[in-house]
Every structure is written in C-alpha cells, then in structure tokens.
C-alpha cells in the first residue's frame, strides 16, 4: 500500500469534509482568530465527520497549558487515592515490613515512570487523545476496540468511586447533624435516602466540573494536589504522636527469605497493574503538555518522589495504628472516622472528598468521554459525552456492583486483564515498528489509500496479535492454578502482545512523519 500522502487526488465526494472551526472557543484569545481551514485546501486527505470533531482533533503546539506542575498534581491526587492506600496497607497485612513496602512501591514507581513517560511523549508529539492514538495500530475503525475497553473499565469505576466518596460524605453529614442518621437506615434500590442525596450531590459536582472541559480539570487538580499532600502528611503526623512517637515496623508474622522477596516484586508488579489504565490513555492529558521536558519533570516529582512520600505515610499510619491496638486499618478513612474532634474530622473528611473527586475526574471520567466521542463524533462532543458517561455511571447502580464480588472479579477483572495486551500492541507499533513516524492528518480520513485504513479501517494484524495475548491474560486472571503468576499478568499480557505484533507486523510499509498542525485546534477544550 502506498504510504506517501497524496497531495493531488480530488476529495472523495462520499466523505463529508470537516473544517476546523477556531471560533468555537474563547473569543478573546488571538489564537482563535484564524479562519476555518479545510484539510483538502491544504492538499491533505479530506477529514471525515465520522472520525473528526473539535474534541478528537489534534491540539496545536502553541498555547498548550499543561506544565510540569499540572502533571505533578495529577499524580499528587491519584497516587494518594483511598484505593491505593488500601492496596499498600494490604502489603503490611501480608507480612511486609516498612522497608519492604517502600522497596515494593519503589520498584513499581521506577517502572511506572518509564512507562508513563514514553506513553506521555506520544500524546505530546501527536496532540491526539487515546481513541485517536489507537487508530495508528488498530486502524481508523479498529480503534473502537481499545477505546471501548478502556472506556468501559473507567465508566464503571466512575460510578463506584463516586459511591465510595458518598460514604465519606455521609460520615461528614452525620458528624455535623447527628439527626441525619435517621435518613441512613432505609433502603431504596440499595441506598438509603441520605446515601442517595450524597451520591447525587457528588455526581452533580463532577458533571459540572467536567462540562467546563479539560482545562477546568487541570485547574481542579492544581487546587486539589496541595490539599491532599498536606492532609495526608498531617494525618500521618497526628497518628505518629497518638502512638507515642514510635511505630511498629512490621507485624509479628513478618515474611522472610524467598517468600518476602516474592511479595516485594509481586507488590511492585501489582502497583504497575493498578495504573494499567493510565499508561494506556496518559496521552489524553499530555496532548496539552507544553514540552517533553514538562512530562519528564512532572512525572519525576509525581511518581518516584511522590510515591516515596506516599509509602512513608502508609508505613507511619499503619505502623502507628498497629502499635496502638494491634489492628491493621483498611484505609485512611477508618482513621478519619475515629478523630475525636468534630472540627478536625470535618476538615479531614472534606479533604478526602476533594481527593476522591480529583482521582475520579482524571482516572475514570476523561477516558469514557473520549471513547464515546470517538464512537459518535457527529453527535457527541466533550460536554455531551460527559453527561452520557455520567448518566451511565448512575443508572448501573454502582453500589450494587461494588458489593457483588462476581462483578468485580469477572467483569472488571476481565476487562482489566485486556489492558496489558492493548498496551503491548500499541507501544510496539508506535516505538518499534514506526519509530514515532506518524501521519497525523490521515488519522482522520476514510480514503482507502490512507495510512491507517488498512482493510476496511481495521488492522487485522494488530487484532491478531491482541487476541492470543488477551486469551492468556484472561486465563491467568481466572484460573486458580495460575494464581502464582497473577501479580505479573499485566507484564505477561503486554509482553506477549508486543512480541506477537512484532512477529506479524507489516514491515514493508513506508512510514512518514506528518504534523497535525494544519488541522489542529487550540488546546483549550
């Protein structure tokens, strides 16, 4: 197939032309005052309305606003999520001591820094969101596979995380007005009256924030990050003094020898698996990053350094609680509920709410918005897709899913097992086969000679590499006999996906590096 952009062919009359409307955004920015430009007028293949809209379009290099601090505050929020604390505290319960927990998190942090930096570079170079990035390896229509898998995982977790945040809000409300406890005793579709009120309130808050776009998410994360870091540090210091100025460094059943080292490396591998979603769609954020250096700097302070800080907090609060009464807490929210001072309890609960919303916005709201927009770009933009995503997250009654172990294990566990193989295929194609040479404008065209049309818009070689890796990942996830390697399933799936794709990839194709600037939009949506 000819990979050289055809600058002479006429527009395909069957493919609608999409223009870049720079006037859709803020009228006061001089960048916006460029006239609409069509791809055809620039000698490029015509853009398709089934592939292109303002939210899927590449972002212009000029005017990008995500700095190193913006990226750092993403991690300042996400690393300190209640789920992550539950995971790290679980390592203490398994028998790992202070230094072993820090080592496990350190191993995972180094790997994550590398994976997320390479993933982030892809977004900075192309300026495209994850569903469009997936078109490079899977084809313009085959990209629906990774986009919907990633979006499906996120949309369920959006509802679940909102529910978990509502539990904190209920504790806060009852602490402020004890009489509200009476509204927390009935049951309406699995939630009490107070539970419904708390859930819907937080649901509305998140919808409002997201409807203002990615730039509002950036601002919220910048606001939330410092609050979260200060609160968690304060909680650890308070617990340290509650324990008399010393902590337990391990339980009485501390692991040693080979069992200890296996749990350390398994913990590091699982730490990476927790971020399996993010290493896929980190480009959703870095497509608006100012420079590659900003990604490296933001990731360095946000991942290795911030994760070390996170590990120290885990060791302190868990060791302090264990010294006090020999109990192992489940999460920092357990400590918050035990704070005897109502004023301090309220402040801590508010901080946990800020934290959970910050995590939910970045980890579980953005991905399904882009997935839905990619599915129906003619009908859905960022704002409409955010509302559709939020409504789905509500009508699935996520609290019932969360309380059903089978759903968590088989549905979310199954979808999660597919993320490693997807990452392996996409990264092998981008870095090893194409060596970063991407024709960005042709990610938006349906002409049959387009670089990413493949066969009817699907690259069967990528699908063929993904399937065996996905099958093996699912077997590891669900067959009890394979549980000893389950902690390493993401790496196994990613490795098999990458190797399989390298074997079947078409190496005869010629790849060209073509900037997306001619059809790009300002990075303000």
């Amino acid at each position: 197939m000819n990979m050289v952009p055809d600058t002479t062919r006429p527009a395909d009359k069957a493919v609608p032309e999409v223009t870049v409307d720079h006037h859709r955004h803020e009228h006061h920015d001089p960048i916006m005052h460029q006239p609409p430009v069509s791809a055809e007028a620039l000698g490029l293949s015509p853009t398709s309305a089934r592939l292109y809209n303002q939210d899927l379009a590449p972002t212009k290099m000029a005017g990008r606003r995500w700095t190193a601090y913006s990226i750092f505050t993403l991690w300042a929020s996400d690393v300190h999520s209640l789920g992550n604390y539950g995971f790290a505290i679980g390592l203490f319960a398994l028998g790992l001591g202070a230094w072993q927990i820090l080592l496990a998190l350190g191993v995972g942090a180094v790997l994550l820094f590398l994976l997320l930096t390479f993933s982030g570079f892809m977004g900075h170079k192309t300026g495209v969101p994850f569903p469009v990035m997936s078109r490079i390896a899977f084809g313009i229509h085959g990209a629906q596979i990774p986009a919907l898998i990633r979006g499906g995982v996120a949309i369920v977790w959006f509802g679940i995380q909102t529910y978990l945040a509502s539990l904190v809000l209920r504790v806060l409300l009852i602490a402020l007005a004890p009489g509200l406890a009476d509204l927390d005793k009935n049951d309406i579709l699995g939630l009490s009256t107070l539970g419904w009120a708390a859930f819907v309130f937080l649901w509305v808050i998140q919808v409002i924030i997201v409807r203002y776009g990615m730039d509002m998410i950036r601002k919220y994360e910048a606001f939330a990050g410092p609050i979260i870091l200060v609160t968690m540090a304060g909680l650890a210091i308070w617990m340290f003094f509650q324990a008399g100025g010393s902590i337990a460094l391990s339980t009485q059943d501390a692991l040693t020898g080979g069992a200890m080292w296996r749990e350390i490396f398994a913990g590091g591998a699982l730490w990476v698996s927790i971020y399996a979603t993010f290493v896929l769609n980190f480009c959703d954020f870095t497509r608006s990053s100012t420079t590659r250096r900003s990604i490296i700097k933001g990731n360095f302070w946000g991942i290795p350094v911030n994760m070390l800080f996170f590990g120290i907090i885990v060791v302190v609060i868990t060791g302090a609680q264990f010294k006090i009464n020999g109990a192992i807490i489940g999460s920092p929210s357990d400590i918050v509920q035990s704070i005897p001072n109502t004023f301090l309890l309220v402040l801590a609960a508010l901080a946990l709410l800020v934290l959970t919303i910050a995590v939910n916005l970045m980890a579980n709201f953005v991905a399904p918005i882009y997935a839905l927009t990619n599915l129906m770009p003619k009908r859905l933009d960022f704002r409409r897709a955010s509302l559709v995503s939020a409504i789905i997250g509500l009508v699935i009654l996520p609290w019932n899913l969360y309380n059903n172990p089978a759903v968590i294990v088989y549905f979310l566990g199954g979808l999660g097992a597919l993320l490693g193989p997807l990452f392996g295929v996409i990264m092998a194609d981008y870095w090893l086969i194409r060596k970063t040479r991407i024709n960005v404008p042709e990610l938006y065209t349906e002409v049959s000679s387009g670089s990413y049309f493949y066969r009817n818009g699907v690259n069967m070689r990528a699908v063929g590499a993904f399937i065996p890796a996905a099958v093996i990942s699912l077997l590891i996830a669900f067959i009890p006999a394979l549980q000893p390697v389950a902690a390493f399933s993401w790496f196994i799936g990613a490795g098999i996906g990458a190797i399989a794709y390298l074997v079947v990839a078409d190496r005869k194709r010629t790849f060209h590096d073509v900037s997306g600037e001619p059809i790009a939009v300002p990075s303000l949506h």
Side-chain angles (χ1 to χ4, degrees):
M1 184 181 294
N2 177 25
M3 298 298 296
V4 179
D6 185 349
T7 59
T8 60
R9 61 176 173 247
D12 185 343
K13 298 298 183 182
V15 180
E17 177 185 299
V18 177
T19 59
V20 181
D21 180 5
H22 296 283
H23 296 283
R24 172 182 158 184
H25 304 284
E26 300 173 62
H27 64 277
H28 60 272
D29 193 323
I31 294 177
M32 312 303 164
H33 289 199
Q34 305 170 27
V37 180
S38 71
E40 184 186 3
L42 296 164
L44 304 171
S45 300
T47 53
S48 167
R50 294 205 302 168
L51 301 173
Y52 181 103
N53 67 14
Q54 295 284 305
D55 298 297
L56 297 175
T59 54
K60 286 186 173 295
M61 283 287 184
R64 292 185 179 182
R65 299 184 177 187
W66 286 69
T67 63
Y69 178 75
S70 305
I71 293 170
F72 163 72
T73 54
L74 286 181
W75 304 125
S77 301
D78 194 73
V79 168
H80 293 268
S81 72
L82 297 181
N84 284 354
Y85 275 104
F87 164 77
I89 290 169
L91 297 179
F92 188 85
L94 285 173
L96 294 185
W99 72 266
Q100 293 104 324
I101 291 174
L102 293 177
L103 180 58
L105 296 178
V107 169
V110 170
L111 293 171
L112 280 172
F113 173 75
L114 296 173
L115 293 172
L116 285 160
T117 298
F118 280 110
S119 180
F121 283 171
M122 295 163 66
H124 175 263
K125 176 182 171 65
T126 61
V128 303
F130 174 67
V132 178
M133 186 74 71
S134 301
R135 296 174 189 173
I136 298 171
F138 283 87
I140 54 174
H141 299 314
Q144 299 293 357
I145 297 171
L148 291 176
I149 290 174
R150 172 64 183 100
V153 172
I155 207 165
V156 175
W157 277 113
F158 162 74
I160 289 174
Q161 289 286 356
T162 302
Y163 162 66
L164 294 177
S166 73
L167 297 179
V168 177
L169 181 56
R170 284 155 69 176
V171 171
L172 171 62
L173 292 174
I174 291 173
L176 291 174
L180 292 176
D182 294 335
L183 299 177
D184 205 25
K185 297 176 181 177
N186 60 333
D187 187 297
I188 305 172
L189 297 176
L191 274 189
S192 66
T193 300
L194 184 63
W196 270 103
F199 182 91
V200 171
F201 173 77
L202 293 173
W203 184 90
V204 170
I205 292 295
Q206 292 173 95
V207 169
I208 291 173
I209 293 172
V210 170
R211 283 177 66 80
Y212 281 94
M214 289 294 289
D215 204 47
M216 180 58 73
I217 294 176
R218 176 183 66 84
K219 293 175 181 177
Y220 182 85
E221 299 294 340
F223 155 77
I227 292 176
I228 292 160
L229 295 177
V230 170
T231 300
M232 291 305 177
L235 198 60
I237 292 170
W238 182 74
M239 284 296 295
F240 182 74
F241 284 108
Q242 288 291 108
S246 64
I247 62 173
L249 297 179
S250 67
T251 65
Q252 294 91 336
D253 302 319
L255 296 176
T256 59
M260 176 192 74
W261 285 106
R262 185 197 176 280
E263 290 301 332
I264 287 174
F265 288 109
L270 287 170
W271 192 231
V272 174
S273 298
I274 288 173
Y275 287 89
T277 52
F278 247 124
V279 295
L280 267 181
N281 76 305
F282 191 36
C283 58
D284 287 343
F285 304 91
T286 59
R287 66 190 293 239
S288 298
S289 59
T290 53
T291 62
R292 282 166 62 115
R293 180 177 173 81
S294 70
I295 297 172
I296 297 172
K297 189 175 179 181
N299 279 351
F300 173 75
W301 288 102
I303 301 175
V305 175
N306 182 41
M307 286 182 178
L308 175 62
F309 177 65
F310 165 83
I312 292 172
I313 291 175
V314 168
V315 167
V316 171
I317 64 175
T318 308
Q321 186 66 52
F322 192 78
K323 183 187 176 186
I324 291 170
N325 60 9
I328 299 175
I329 59 171
S331 111
S333 59
D334 296 339
I335 295 175
V336 169
Q337 293 184 52
S338 66
I339 295 176
N341 183 291
T342 301
F343 177 71
L344 294 178
L345 184 150
V346 168
L347 289 180
L350 285 174
L352 292 184
L353 288 176
V354 169
L355 161 64
T356 306
I357 290 175
V359 172
N360 223 13
L361 290 175
M362 62 181 291
N364 301 318
F365 217 156
V366 172
I369 289 173
Y370 280 128
L372 290 170
T373 303
N374 187 61
L375 191 64
M376 294 183 286
K378 290 183 181 180
R379 298 181 180 276
L380 296 177
D381 58 11
F382 195 93
R383 295 185 68 184
R384 291 173 183 169
S386 69
L387 186 58
V388 172
S389 176
I391 290 173
I392 296 173
L394 171 62
V395 300
I396 60 174
L397 304 180
W399 45 90
N400 292 331
L401 300 181
Y402 181 73
N403 293 322
N404 186 335
V407 171
I408 298 296
V409 172
Y410 292 105
F411 176 69
L412 290 176
L415 285 178
L418 304 180
L419 300 179
L422 288 174
F423 181 80
V425 171
I426 290 171
M427 296 295 279
D429 178 76
Y430 183 93
W431 289 101
L432 302 179
I433 299 297
R434 300 178 185 276
K435 300 187 183 340
T436 78
R437 296 190 296 270
I438 308 300
N439 188 333
V440 177
E442 294 208 346
L443 290 168
Y444 301 92
T445 184
E446 290 186 283
V447 296
S448 59
S449 58
S451 301
Y452 311 102
F453 187 80
Y454 298 107
R455 180 177 297 177
N456 297 321
V458 180
N459 182 8
M460 293 307 299
R461 294 173 187 263
V463 175
F466 167 70
I467 289 174
V471 169
I472 292 173
S473 293
L474 290 172
L475 291 176
I476 292 174
F478 297 135
I479 295 180
L482 297 177
Q483 281 304 301
V485 296
F488 306 94
S489 62
W490 185 90
F491 292 93
I492 295 171
I496 294 173
I499 293 170
Y501 187 74
L502 290 174
V503 170
V504 303
D506 184 357
R507 299 176 182 274
K508 297 178 181 179
R509 297 167 71 96
T510 302
F511 306 113
H512 297 277
D513 210 27
V514 182
S515 171
E517 284 291 305
I519 60 168
V521 299
S523 179
L524 297 176
H525 60 298

